Amino acid sequence: MPTNKLKIFYGNAHPELAVEITNYLGESPGRAKVTQFKDGETNVLIDESVRGADVFVIQPTCNPTNNNIMELLILIDALRRASAMRITAVMPYYGYARQERKARARDPITAKLLANVITTAGADRVVNIDLHAPAIQGFFDIPVDHLPGVPILAQHFIEKHMDNICVVSPDIGGVSRARSFAERIGASLAIIDKRRPEPNVAEIMHVIGDLEDKTVIMVDDIIDTGGTLTQGAAEILKNFGAREVYACCTHAVLSDPAIQRLQDSDIKEVVVTNTIPVGEEKRIPKIKVLSVAPLLSEAIKRIHQDKSVSTLFDD
């Protein structure tokens, strides 16, 4: 058992999740003020000693992405300069993860750039949930704990006691996630073949698999504008014989016009997690929000105690 004190700090990205985690662990949040100067610059004041402490900074880099990234970097820098023993950046949602490769000539690889600056700021370890591209783990030269969101989402549907289910991956890249989900709930698997002529626009070409008279659950890592899910549910899946359609994802980005699209769609329920804050204005009756706080809390506890994190998912 480590003798170094566990301390948890957070910025302004998702204080509700951070407080939920500290309550779960029976810890008090670290005393810090993260504010802005009049000119918009971020100001951080760590109001307690962290010398020799094992520090976790909880900060998803969601919208406003750039502000939240700067808060994270400055918090890490302040803690490093205050002689923290180890600093772990807990980023349930990793902003810029969809810019992880060069799709066209002269494109930046911003996901790699973000990994570089987090490491340079002084992070010793990173914790993520459902990276859009798992290969992003390799962008870091420090340990990365990549936690799956599938067990949380799957448990919700297991408790519904549904039958004749087919899990659908909305694209080829999500097949591994959808297969894991299907195996957990004992369902068959289908795949939507789509192409993206431009960002946030998807054209569905084919559906591979049998959907006839099935309850369909579409599984993805992110719902952004909702175009993929609503097109798939309303215009394609029911035409292929689906009886009813559910959707779930880990990261509820929900950019406009996602809420209106989901509201108007034939999707019966949309299950998401709180890796990103889901404001009251987005919590329409169709949306069910599950908490990742227990998962992150157990991961933090195991990292602090130098125990295996992967054994969380042995079942």
Side-chain angles (χ1 to χ4, degrees), residues 11-12 21 121 128 131 153 165 169 172 206 251 258 264:
N12 295 312
I21 290 170
N128 302 120
L131 287 167
L153 298 169
I165 302 171
S169 172
I172 301 298
H206 308 284
H251 308 299
D264 295 342

Side-chain angles (χ1 to χ4, degrees), residues 12-35:
N12 295 312
H14 202 344
E16 298 85 1
L17 176 60
V19 170
E20 195 176 344
I21 290 170
T22 56
N23 289 341
Y24 186 98
L25 293 171
E27 299 285 340
S28 298
R31 297 196 303 275
K33 294 178 182 177
V34 183
T35 58

Side-chain angles (χ1 to χ4, degrees), residues 71-209:
E71 286 187 5
L72 174 64
L73 297 175
I74 296 171
L75 274 164
I76 292 171
D77 182 72
L79 293 163
R80 177 176 62 86
R81 294 176 187 277
S83 301
M85 183 272 295
R86 179 172 64 181
I87 302 169
T88 301
V90 181
M91 306 166 63
Y93 175 74
Y94 188 85
Y96 288 106
R98 287 174 284 180
Q99 297 186 42
E100 88 290 2
R101 61 190 174 88
K102 291 184 67 171
R104 298 166 300 187
R106 296 175 295 280
D107 273 356
I109 304 180
T110 318
K112 168 59 174 169
L113 173 63
L114 182 55
N116 288 347
V117 296
I118 289 169
T119 305
T120 300
D124 299 295
R125 192 180 197 98
V126 171
V127 176
N128 302 120
I129 298 179
D130 271 0
L131 287 167
H132 182 68
I136 292 173
Q137 296 171 82
F139 291 177
F140 288 90
D141 293 324
I142 55 177
V144 176
D145 290 294
H146 185 209
L147 310 179
V150 161
I152 298 172
L153 298 169
Q155 186 60 34
H156 172 80
F157 287 97
I158 289 171
E159 292 170 1
K160 282 180 171 288
H161 303 290
M162 301 159 66
D163 59 7
N164 203 21
I165 302 171
C166 181
V167 173
V168 173
S169 172
D171 52 41
I172 301 298
V175 170
S176 177
R177 180 184 305 104
R179 182 183 296 113
S180 174
F181 190 99
E183 289 173 352
R184 280 185 173 267
I185 66 174
S188 60
L189 179 66
I191 304 165
I192 293 174
D193 176 25
K194 71 180 182 185
R195 70 184 186 95
R196 289 191 178 275
E198 56 186 276
N200 295 122
V201 176
E203 293 181 0
I204 295 171
M205 313 298 288
H206 308 284
V207 175
I208 305 165

